[in-house]
Amino acid sequence: MDKILLSKTGKLQVPEHPVIPFIEGDGVGAEITPATQSIMHAVVHKAYKGARSIAWKEVLAGEKAFRTTGSWLPDDTMQAFREYRVGIKGPLTTPVGGGIRSLNVALRQELDLFVCLRPVRWFRGVASPLKEPSLVDMYVFRENTEDIYAGIEWEQGTPQAARVLDFLTREMGVTKIRFPETSAFGVKPVSRQGSQRLVRAAIEYALLKKHPSVTLVHKGNIMKFTEGGFKNWGYELAEEAFSGQVFTMNQYQRIKEQKGKVQADAALEEAKSSGLLLIQDVIADAFLQNTLLRPRDYSVIATLNLNGDYISDQLAAMVGGIGIAPGANINYLSGHALFEATHGTAPDIAGKNQVNPCSLLLSGAMMLEYLGWSEASHLIHTTLESLFEDGYATHDLARFMPNGTSLSTTEFRDKVLERVAML
Ligand code: NAD
């Protein structure tokens, strides 16, 4: 069995026929996963004529795992992702009650997949609420392991919440809790290490793919030590580790203070014209507004966990919604990566042959790109674009297209396969 390895220099070593573990997923997973696999098989075959192929290995998680093994997330599944390094998954039901808060969170934590990468691009033909959706070309690097999202919280009315309140008021001298007796409490850990490994991944990605900027998105104006820390550590890392390759808005500020605005503007222009990567920052609320008004100002985005959650979904909605938004959870240090449909199990349409497979399919395209199989990845993008331009899509997208033809999941899959065969 061919495994993906990591070289001593940290580069992925991908065999020609790698084993890729996959989780089918609950609900619509049973429809989107086989559709995605058949299209991925077709593009890989088209691009490499049999010299490369994927050896799929099913691993269980979610309802299917629970039915078969009594565990929502069997150890064998974790072991397979650890061992084979790169995998893909359909959506999973969040178990209600019981020990597991979320299977997705458990997978991310177990493999320390610290980046949630969500690329956002517009496909010609897809309806968008923006005037110029073609200007959207963004890559959200969301920190995946820290922040208020880490799930460290205590329920109101419990002895634990009372102890936290006691500690805060007596030992830490906190006086700002408005309704102390009826408060629940959460903790927001944000570290220099966690922030810098995320920002490093974003900068390296931007340099590799020749993107013009990395924007640190935060609420450091209010949460000075956590979100403000993220911004400061991000700038610090950029200037220390990428000196000569980047120009930061911190540098701009320093020049402005020392030499005035004219000189600072000139330095910024000089940096841009010499191809340096611009590192800037923006407050999260302004960012959300700006993405609608001036999408061309943003390219690679680095942000904390909770901000990233909101931002990813807003950006997805700007170019067609969750049915078409791909995503991946990656540890760039170990090479572990899990590509996934970003939507849920869609129980309202499960089994009806209506679901849009594009979120998982485009995640599959991201996976191919990650493996270095760009030619096959590119075929998925060009095929989807040509279908959308002709108005062919599943109902969620086709209903908003002026020339839309609504196709079922299997009809859409067959159209994709037909076009790939014609290329
Ligand atoms: P959902 O994403 O499953 O559905 C929201 C709405 O969007 C529904 O109307 C659904 O029909 C529609 N939709 C979603 N994906 C679609 C697609 N590909 N094509 C067409 N329409 C699509 O969110 P939900 O209903 O809040 O969650 C259902 C379950 O999924 C819950 O158990 C939730 O915890 C879980 N969930 C899992 C993930 C994941 O595994 N990554 C993500 C979100 C929610």
Side-chain angles (χ1 to χ4, degrees):
M1 298 273 241
D2 286 354
K3 287 182 194 161
I4 295 169
L5 302 172
L6 198 72
S7 74
K8 285 212 175 73
T9 55
K11 239 180 132 330
L12 271 195
Q13 293 182 315
V14 181
E16 304 300 1
H17 306 281
V19 174
I20 304 283
F22 73 96
I23 296 170
E24 180 184 81
D26 298 326
V28 292
E31 296 157 82
I32 58 175
T33 298
T36 293
Q37 288 174 315
S38 58
I39 294 167
M40 287 178 73
H41 172 79
V43 293
V44 169
H45 190 77
K46 186 86 190 176
Y48 310 115
K49 314 277 179 275
R52 285 176 170 167
S53 67
I54 292 173
W56 295 108
K57 173 185 171 67
E58 179 163 14
V59 293
L60 300 178
E63 285 166 358
K64 198 168 177 180
F66 193 69
R67 273 198 311 273
T68 325
T69 69
S71 161
W72 288 94
L73 189 55
D75 288 344
D76 286 357
T77 299
M78 291 308 315
Q79 184 50 29
F81 287 125
R82 235 178 262 126
E83 199 174 325
Y84 295 102
R85 221 171 283 266
V86 175
I88 189 163
K89 65 172 273 292
L92 294 172
T93 305
T94 303
V96 181
I100 293 192
R101 209 181 161 91
S102 154
L103 297 171
N104 296 304
V105 174
L107 280 164
R108 284 171 207 165
Q109 284 179 349
E110 183 69 25
L111 296 167
D112 196 21
L113 304 173
F114 62 86
V115 171
C116 177
L117 173 57
R118 296 272 295 263
V120 189
R121 64 155 288 195
W122 176 68
F123 286 90
R124 207 172 301 283
V126 173
S128 159
L130 296 191
K131 271 195 194 138
E132 290 184 280
S134 60
L135 300 179
V136 179
D137 185 21
M138 298 183 205
Y139 302 81
V140 181
F141 279 68
R142 164 186 170 190
E143 204 290 324
N144 230 354
T145 64
E146 298 195 307
D147 198 0
I148 198 79
Y149 223 90
I152 308 168
E153 53 175 20
W154 295 278
E155 193 176 358
Q156 181 263 320
T158 59
Q160 290 86 348
R163 282 181 70 183
V164 173
L165 175 64
D166 190 60
F167 169 73
L168 291 175
T169 49
R170 281 176 200 263
E171 286 195 41
M172 303 303 288
V174 174
T175 54
K176 290 190 217 162
I177 303 169
R178 179 69 183 83
F179 297 111
E181 300 311 326
T182 58
S183 288
F185 295 96
V187 173
K188 181 180 171 79
V190 178
S191 67
R192 174 192 289 266
Q193 202 175 347
S195 301
Q196 290 193 335
R197 68 177 180 171
L198 182 277
V199 174
R200 179 186 289 278
I203 293 176
E204 283 175 350
Y205 185 87
L207 288 169
L208 183 73
K209 306 273 180 187
K210 302 201 181 343
H211 292 302
S213 65
V214 172
T215 305
L216 309 171
V217 181
H218 61 90
K219 283 289 289 179
N221 53 334
I222 306 295
M223 291 167 272
K224 296 191 190 303
F225 301 133
T226 49
E227 305 248 343
F230 176 84
K231 176 188 84 168
N232 294 336
W233 297 322
Y235 274 134
E236 184 186 288
L237 175 94
E239 289 178 19
E240 283 174 16
F242 298 94
S243 161
Q245 298 178 82
V246 303
F247 181 82
T248 75
M249 289 312 282
N250 250 4
Q251 286 172 283
Y252 174 91
Q253 279 306 335
R254 288 199 297 271
I255 299 171
K256 192 171 155 195
E257 277 156 29
Q258 287 162 11
K259 300 182 181 166
K261 187 171 181 320
V262 175
Q263 294 268 27
D265 285 343
L268 178 59
E269 282 316 307
E270 160 78 21
K272 281 185 186 167
S273 62
S274 53
L276 294 187
L277 176 68
L278 178 67
I279 313 290
Q280 56 188 355
D281 78 280
V282 62
I283 304 290
D285 38 333
F287 172 77
L288 286 173
Q289 175 171 287
N290 293 349
T291 53
L292 295 170
L293 302 174
R294 305 198 309 262
R296 70 151 51 112
D297 287 359
Y298 303 107
S299 171
V300 175
I301 291 133
T303 192
L304 295 105
N305 209 337
L306 183 62
N307 296 335
D309 193 27
Y310 302 147
I311 287 169
S312 305
D313 275 21
Q314 177 188 303
L315 296 187
M318 284 161 39
V319 293
I322 49 176
I324 198 175
N329 298 291
I330 304 175
N331 180 326
Y332 283 97
L333 304 172
S334 69
H336 284 105
L338 189 50
F339 296 79
E340 64 175 358
T342 57
H343 54 78
T345 58
D348 51 335
I349 56 168
K352 295 184 179 165
N353 201 15
Q354 288 176 8
V355 63
N356 186 347
C358 288
S359 171
L360 191 64
L361 179 57
L362 287 166
S363 302
M366 281 175 82
M367 188 184 94
L368 294 171
E369 182 80 39
Y370 185 73
L371 299 180
W373 297 8
S374 312
E375 300 80 1
S377 172
H378 193 63
L379 288 177
I380 294 179
H381 281 262
T382 46
T383 308
L384 289 187
E385 187 136 61
S386 81
L387 284 176
F388 295 148
E389 270 190 289
D390 292 347
Y392 292 117
T394 44
H395 185 64
D396 56 310
L397 297 184
R399 64 189 157 156
F400 299 120
M401 295 171 162
N403 60 340
T405 305
S406 286
L407 302 178
S408 69
T409 311
T410 45
E411 284 168 344
F412 183 75
R413 174 204 61 197
D414 292 345
K415 271 265 176 249
V416 176
L417 291 173
E418 212 177 89
R419 292 262 161 129
V420 172
M422 277 159 39
L423 288 171

